[in-house]
Amino acid sequence: MYKSFKLIFLLNICFVLFSCNESNENEINMYLAASLSNKIENSIENYNYVVNIDSSGSYDLVNKIILGAKPDLVLAANYKLSDSLNTFYEYYGDYSQNKIILVHNYDKDINLNDICMNNYEIGIADPKRAPLGMISSEILKENKCSVNDYNLVISSNAASLINMINLDYLDFALIYESDFLKINDKYNFSHSKQAFDKVLIYSFYVNSLLDSKKKEDINLFINYLKSQENISLPTKSEQ
């Protein structure tokens, strides 16, 4: 009985690994930056392929690949990504870009210096799990904002940071500009006038081990997403 149980357990593990790494002919397994999840999921509702999406912070996704996962396609925030991604994946062009902004529900405009001098609590994404967090950490340092640990609220990624704002846990946060409209109007959040020179680009990466037919299908899907975004970006063949 013990041997039978062990065999079933191993078969289940193999099934999970297989399902994570292999896709059927008319399916695409995609790793997607959490900050793009709503946008992409809405874009692919009528697409003629089944797209299986795993969404998380871009650094989380790359760590899964380092540990052995091999999705067909990765759309991630291209900011200080691990070299491991370039080892197993081919760059297939850019999708869009984003800026980082400071948001608040203060009754007048406020900047990072005001927040730090008054020891206000500020929310950022996790620098170890999401590029938004890495950039936010750099912005705090560049602005000589030595926030105490107890005044820094860290959320796992961009999407969960917005959720924290909408649950009324935060009054100040560094978020993506594209996420500002996701904040519930009832909290009266404003966009600070303070500007940062950080721009983040989202890029496509395709599994280099896929056969030519699968890569062609994925390239069509990438072009479809770009057309939905209404951006004219070069395809892989034009680079």
Side-chain angles (χ1 to χ4, degrees), residues 6 63 69 122 142 146 156 159 169 195 197 204 208 216 222 233:
K6 186 176 180 181
N63 285 336
I122 182 170
E142 289 170 5
S146 55
S156 60
Y169 290 149
D197 61 357
F204 292 103
S208 58
E216 182 180 336
I222 289 172
L233 290 171

Side-chain angles (χ1 to χ4, degrees), residues 144-155:
K144 299 178 181 178
C145 189
S146 55
V147 179
N148 295 319
D149 288 342
Y150 59 82
N151 280 345
L152 196 62
V153 180
I154 296 179
S155 183

Side-chain angles (χ1 to χ4, degrees), residues 123-155:
I124 68 169
D126 190 340
K128 296 179 180 178
R129 302 180 65 183
L132 173 61
M134 174 70 76
I135 295 175
S136 298
S137 178
E138 292 173 359
I139 287 173
L140 290 172
K141 290 178 181 178
E142 289 170 5
N143 284 269
K144 299 178 181 178
C145 189
S146 55
V147 179
N148 295 319
D149 288 342
Y150 59 82
N151 280 345
L152 196 62
V153 180
I154 296 179
S155 183

